Amino acid sequence: MYFMYPYKSITGIITISILAVYSSYSNASMIVYERDDIEKIANENNIKEIEHCAEKGSSACSTILGGAYYWGLSFYDKRININDSIAIRYFKNSLIESLTSRSILSVIIEKERSLESKALLTSAATERYYPAVYRLAHPDYLKTNEIRQESIKWRKIQMDMEPSTGSDEKGFIGSIYLQMTPPDYTNALYWLNRAITEEDDMLAERNIAKLYAEGKGVEKDYITAYMYYDLAGTAGAEEKSKLAELMTPEQVQEGLSRSHEWQDEHHSYRPGYGAWNDMGGIEWHVH
């Protein structure tokens, strides 16, 4: 996803591209990628040219200067010392047009002006700026139902913008519904089943196994629970062992048989099942 900012300079027409790099690891990583993009542009340009460009009203150049002073970056001809006050001034000059400025400024002022910070971040996310969407989807904590619902909302938008993130997000959405007070089992089961069916998410398999084992949101069913614990692999090994103590040998065997049928149907095999070794074990599974 590129955001293009053309402007005229002394040497001709230059186009600055600020690239929003996608990541599913942490809020901090999204900010790091924003820094990398701005630093690359700064390294390739003279500061006077960027300052002149900013004075002419370019939001892109003000964003670059804001980032340079916020992180202490180097231009082609000069290194900048960190100065939050100057960084904030440049970011404020570019808020209307620059989603990147809104996103980064929200980080700078978050502790002192949390409401203003949230408004800036939400504004950028509403215009589908991916780093802002990601940060709202992945808050530092999920202590209240309101925060949980908001996280779910933005995770769904994130998946719409970048479908490949669905391999992680569907199972997480299901787990967030389980954290609700009281738990929302209907929506949790829907998203956990999607994560399992569409992504073969082993953590989702573990979570849904627990629901069947305890009879929460579904009728208690040890055999189905055992099947999902087996599909969860090492993530469900301890719970599977404890559950087996409550089951007959016939029930355990039925649970294993259902697990193997599922693996055959989906061509996704777990260690310990014969087809895993027949098809090359971990090497085949990864490829």
Side-chain angles (χ1 to χ4, degrees):
M1 180 178 296
Y2 289 87
F3 301 91
M4 308 299 291
Y5 299 98
Y7 71 95
K8 290 185 177 181
S9 73
I10 297 173
T11 57
I13 296 178
I14 300 173
T15 299
I16 296 175
S17 304
I18 295 182
L19 171 60
V21 182
Y22 298 169
S23 169
S24 59
Y25 294 102
S26 69
N27 295 347
S29 65
M30 297 307 298
I31 303 303
V32 167
Y33 284 128
E34 288 177 313
R35 169 179 172 155
D36 287 349
D37 299 330
I38 291 175
E39 185 170 25
K40 183 177 185 297
I41 296 167
N43 290 166
E44 296 172 352
N45 288 273
N46 295 326
I47 187 170
K48 289 298 182 182
E49 186 173 72
I50 299 299
E51 287 176 337
H52 177 74
C53 160
E55 290 170 2
K56 294 296 184 181
S58 168
S59 293
C61 292
S62 289
T63 300
I64 294 164
L65 288 167
Y69 280 101
Y70 178 50
W71 287 302
L73 305 180
S74 293
F75 285 86
Y76 183 79
D77 57 340
K78 181 180 180 181
R79 182 170 185 83
I80 298 298
N81 294 322
I82 292 174
N83 188 315
D84 284 352
S85 296
I86 298 177
I88 289 172
R89 173 163 58 83
Y90 276 117
F91 283 136
K92 284 185 174 181
N93 287 344
S94 55
L95 288 180
I96 294 176
E97 295 182 18
S98 174
L99 302 179
T100 303
S101 286
R102 293 182 219 171
S103 178
I104 300 175
L105 182 58
S106 73
V107 176
I108 300 175
I109 67 174
E110 186 172 17
K111 291 183 178 180
E112 295 181 356
R113 305 199 296 277
S114 60
L115 292 179
E116 184 181 348
S117 169
K118 182 66 176 295
L120 286 170
L121 190 63
T122 302
S123 172
T126 300
E127 294 190 44
R128 299 174 76 83
Y129 180 60
Y130 193 88
V133 170
Y134 184 91
R135 286 180 54 217
L136 287 171
H138 300 81
D140 293 332
Y141 57 86
L142 294 165
K143 291 184 178 180
T144 68
N145 277 1
E146 182 180 359
I147 295 174
R148 294 169 188 136
Q149 289 285 11
E150 186 172 73
S151 174
I152 289 170
K153 167 190 169 182
W154 290 108
R155 284 172 189 262
K156 290 177 181 178
I157 292 173
Q158 179 186 344
M159 284 192 293
D160 180 57
M161 293 179 66
E162 184 55 40
S164 65
T165 62
S167 59
D168 297 315
E169 296 304 333
K170 291 168 190 170
F172 278 116
I173 289 174
S175 69
I176 293 172
Y177 277 118
L178 291 177
Q179 297 174 49
M180 292 288 186
T181 306
D184 184 342
Y185 292 118
T186 300
N187 278 309
L189 285 162
Y190 170 78
W191 284 98
L192 291 175
N193 274 311
R194 280 195 62 180
I196 293 167
T197 303
E198 300 171 20
E199 313 295 347
D200 190 11
D201 185 325
M202 291 187 180
L203 290 178
E205 287 156 357
R206 179 187 179 188
N207 282 333
I208 208 166
K210 183 177 176 65
L211 296 180
Y212 277 102
E214 297 179 355
K216 293 182 177 178
V218 292
E219 291 187 15
K220 185 178 290 187
D221 185 339
Y222 286 165
I223 293 174
T224 301
Y226 195 90
M227 175 193 77
Y228 280 120
Y229 276 137
D230 189 63
L231 289 174
T234 55
E238 184 177 350
E239 290 94 336
K240 183 176 72 171
S241 177
K242 291 178 179 178
L243 183 61
E245 296 175 2
L246 305 175
M247 301 168 65
T248 66
E250 291 77 16
Q251 288 176 318
V252 170
Q253 186 56 49
E254 176 63 20
L256 282 175
S257 296
R258 291 188 190 181
S259 172
H260 295 167
E261 289 172 5
W262 192 97
Q263 292 175 56
D264 286 333
E265 179 183 351
H266 293 83
H267 306 290
S268 180
Y269 297 99
R270 308 296 190 266
Y273 180 42
W276 171 276
N277 295 321
D278 294 342
M279 295 190 176
I282 187 66
E283 182 178 355
W284 175 85
H285 188 71
V286 170
H287 287 296

